[in-house]
Amino acid sequence: MRARREDPASQAERLATYLDRLSQVAGHADRIVPMQNYTKGLFLPIERKSVEPMAARLAPAKVRQMHQSLHHIVAEAAWSDRAWLREVRCQVLPAMTRKHALAAWIVDDTGFPKKGSHSVGVTRQYCGQLGKQENCRVAVSLSLATEQASLPVAYQLYLPEVWAQDPARSKQAGVPQEIRFQTKPEIALAQIRWLVDEGVPHAPVLADAAYGNDNGFRDGLQQLQLEYAVGVQSSTSVWPPGLAPLPAKAGGGMGRPPKLLRREAGHAPLSVKQLALCLSPSDLRRVSWREGTRGTMHSRFAALRVRVAHRDYERSQPRPEQWLLLEWPKTEKEPTKYWLSNLPASISVRKLVATAKLRWRIERDYEELKQELGLGHFEGRNWRGFHHHASFCIAAYGFLVVERCLFSPTPDSPPLRAANLQLRLPRLPHDAKPRGAAD
């Protein structure tokens, strides 16, 4: 792969072309420049990527006009986030898959700590960023990933039930009337259906136990004929290898014959933890999956063919066999992670582990989206602004992904970051320091 070009003019031209193509979905010509300005503002080397500091740097001689323009396009203008993200995907995915195959669709969510109670979606709930229950709002996303790059392509705020049951509060925050309460797995499944309808090339769906433990989520993926490798909790019940629920009892000749599967004493499923504790050390194998900052990442794993047992006594046919993958580090007394996967029975354990572990990429995406592109910096309270700001952040990140895919860094230079972009900006007045500028 070629080394990254350092020609500022060429990079600026590529950015202009990228933004011109995205702006085709603006809907009105007068939205094009504000949309491009807002996206450029997210690349600025300022501490806070909100309207005021971006306006002060983008147009230091006309801050008020720029502020009004940016605020209108992010908080008020009725353009389609879905159409914008579709265009981002169409621009970025070809670069991502030019030399690396699409490897996964990754489901995740991210939290934004937020004080008060008026900002859309805010309530006391688990916040992954803080690792505890806190006042925050949470968004569900779906990303496309190769082994070298990834990009969020669908993004929606999780509207807690307390909000969905308060029409007046929701209306004040601009929540669309068609939005109803959905669990996070239901939101994710709707995003996945959208990508299927869009004809996006299929790849295994990856998710943590917050999604994988939801039987309806896994069943929905199966109905869409999608492969998956999703985390589950240790309490998930399965039939051990070679076992299945008992068939229905033979009918007695009167009435309808029994159809439902059975369990009985001595013939019952186990939790995945119970099954794991039955294994011997020889059932575990050491597998490495990628290079980390401290060298090759490796652990001990076991992969077993099982059947999910969840309420199968209400079914007439047993569920199909699938993989139970468990990770049991040598220093731990029991496994630390479990996955269920419907990947082919012929897949190698190494490939199964590598696929399940690819979910780590989305953590890097969110780290950069939040720390460098200001994903959590939107200061407004309404539904439209929350989603528009995120769509702009994803578009900005998409350009960085394209550049990295096309022009790799040289051995002695780091990957391209937002602050390294050569933007065409007006000169600042002498001694000017806009709010949010780095020291």
Side-chain angles (χ1 to χ4, degrees):
M1 188 178 288
R2 293 169 290 174
R4 188 176 71 240
R5 295 177 183 172
E6 300 297 336
D7 181 357
S10 297
Q11 188 179 80
E13 289 169 1
R14 292 193 298 275
L15 177 58
T17 300
Y18 175 78
L19 293 177
D20 283 343
R21 290 172 177 169
L22 295 187
S23 301
Q24 295 174 6
V25 303
H28 296 290
D30 57 1
R31 293 176 183 164
I32 294 176
V33 172
M35 293 174 96
Q36 296 185 356
N37 282 336
Y38 199 102
T39 308
K40 289 178 184 177
L42 298 170
F43 293 122
L44 294 171
I46 54 179
E47 292 179 6
R48 190 150 190 88
K49 309 297 177 70
S50 54
V51 169
E52 184 178 339
M54 290 196 303
R57 184 61 191 93
L58 290 169
K62 298 181 179 180
V63 176
R64 183 176 179 181
Q65 295 94 318
M66 180 61 75
H67 185 286
Q68 291 175 340
S69 173
L70 295 181
H71 179 268
H72 176 77
I73 200 63
V74 73
E76 299 173 1
W79 48 273
S80 169
D81 291 287
R82 175 166 285 193
W84 176 268
L85 291 178
R86 177 191 292 116
E87 190 60 34
V88 172
R89 184 187 77 230
C90 290
Q91 296 299 319
V92 180
L93 188 57
M96 287 175 53
T97 56
R98 190 168 65 100
K99 291 194 174 182
H100 300 276
L102 186 62
W105 294 9
I106 305 177
V107 173
D108 202 7
D109 55 63
T110 188
F112 304 91
K114 190 77 172 177
K115 295 180 180 179
S117 60
H118 299 292
S119 295
V120 64
V122 167
T123 194
R124 187 170 179 80
Q125 57 189 319
Y126 180 77
C127 180
Q129 182 175 324
L130 302 177
K132 62 179 181 179
Q133 292 277 330
E134 192 55 81
N135 217 46
C136 69
R137 47 189 175 186
V138 176
V140 178
S141 69
L142 177 60
S143 299
L144 301 179
T146 68
E147 292 184 358
Q148 300 297 321
S150 51
L151 175 78
V153 295
Y155 187 92
Q156 182 178 321
L157 178 69
Y158 165 69
L159 192 70
E161 199 164 6
V162 64
W163 272 83
Q165 294 176 348
D166 190 341
R169 187 186 188 193
S170 294
K171 182 178 181 181
Q172 186 175 10
V175 178
Q177 290 186 351
E178 65 271 17
I179 296 296
R180 298 290 183 267
F181 173 73
Q182 290 179 294
T183 65
K184 293 171 190 173
E186 287 171 342
I187 293 173
L189 200 54
Q191 293 173 336
I192 290 167
R193 289 194 184 101
W194 178 55
L195 285 199
V196 170
D197 292 342
E198 290 277 300
V200 176
H202 291 186
V205 176
L206 311 182
D208 64 19
Y211 297 87
N213 214 54
D214 187 298
N215 289 279
F217 179 74
R218 295 199 311 273
D219 289 346
L221 297 179
Q222 193 79 39
Q223 291 167 9
L224 291 169
Q225 299 183 332
L226 294 173
E227 296 178 331
Y228 61 78
V230 296
V232 293
Q233 294 176 345
S234 62
S235 58
T236 302
S237 62
V238 298
W239 292 96
L243 295 182
L246 297 171
K249 289 184 177 181
M254 299 292 290
R256 295 181 179 178
K259 294 183 178 180
L260 301 182
L261 300 172
R262 298 180 296 121
R263 304 174 184 180
E264 59 183 30
H267 191 92
L270 301 175
S271 72
V272 293
K273 179 180 176 179
Q274 290 173 322
L275 179 56
L277 295 178
C278 295
L279 300 177
S280 65
S282 61
D283 293 318
L284 300 166
R285 57 174 291 187
R286 185 177 184 274
V287 178
S288 57
W289 62 92
R290 69 175 175 88
E291 292 296 318
T293 56
R294 299 181 180 179
T296 302
M297 303 190 73
H298 59 84
S299 187
R300 295 191 309 168
F301 295 87
L304 309 170
R305 298 293 287 172
V306 302
R307 296 179 191 270
V308 173
H310 176 72
R311 303 181 75 167
D312 57 7
Y313 46 78
E314 297 177 353
R315 298 169 57 95
S316 60
Q317 295 293 328
R319 290 186 174 87
E321 281 191 340
Q322 59 181 298
W323 287 108
L324 167 64
L325 176 68
L326 60 93
E327 179 179 358
W328 193 338
K330 197 171 185 178
T331 56
E332 299 293 335
K333 295 181 179 180
E334 62 183 60
T336 55
K337 293 181 181 178
Y338 302 86
W339 296 265
L340 286 173
S341 175
N342 64 350
L343 285 165
S346 59
I347 194 172
S348 68
V349 175
R350 184 177 299 276
K351 178 62 175 176
L352 184 60
V353 169
T355 300
K357 288 289 188 177
L358 187 59
R359 206 187 72 81
W360 71 276
R361 288 211 58 89
I362 194 64
E363 296 175 5
R364 290 183 54 180
D365 291 344
Y366 273 127
E367 180 179 344
E368 191 166 356
L369 279 161
K370 287 185 174 183
Q371 295 182 8
E372 298 195 27
L373 296 171
L375 181 62
H377 292 178
F378 178 66
E379 295 177 349
R381 294 177 172 179
N382 69 350
W383 175 277
R384 179 173 290 166
F386 179 86
H387 289 89
H388 281 0
H389 177 77
S391 294
F392 285 132
C393 289
I394 291 170
Y397 187 62
F399 181 72
L400 295 178
V401 171
V402 170
E403 290 286 288
R404 292 166 186 168
C405 290
L406 296 180
F407 310 107
S408 65
T410 57
D412 58 346
S413 68
L416 178 67
R417 317 300 293 188
N420 302 139
L421 286 188
Q422 305 294 323
L423 300 176
R424 293 169 177 167
L425 298 171
R427 291 180 177 273
L428 282 172
H430 182 63
D431 294 333
K433 184 180 180 183
R435 185 173 75 86
D439 294 329

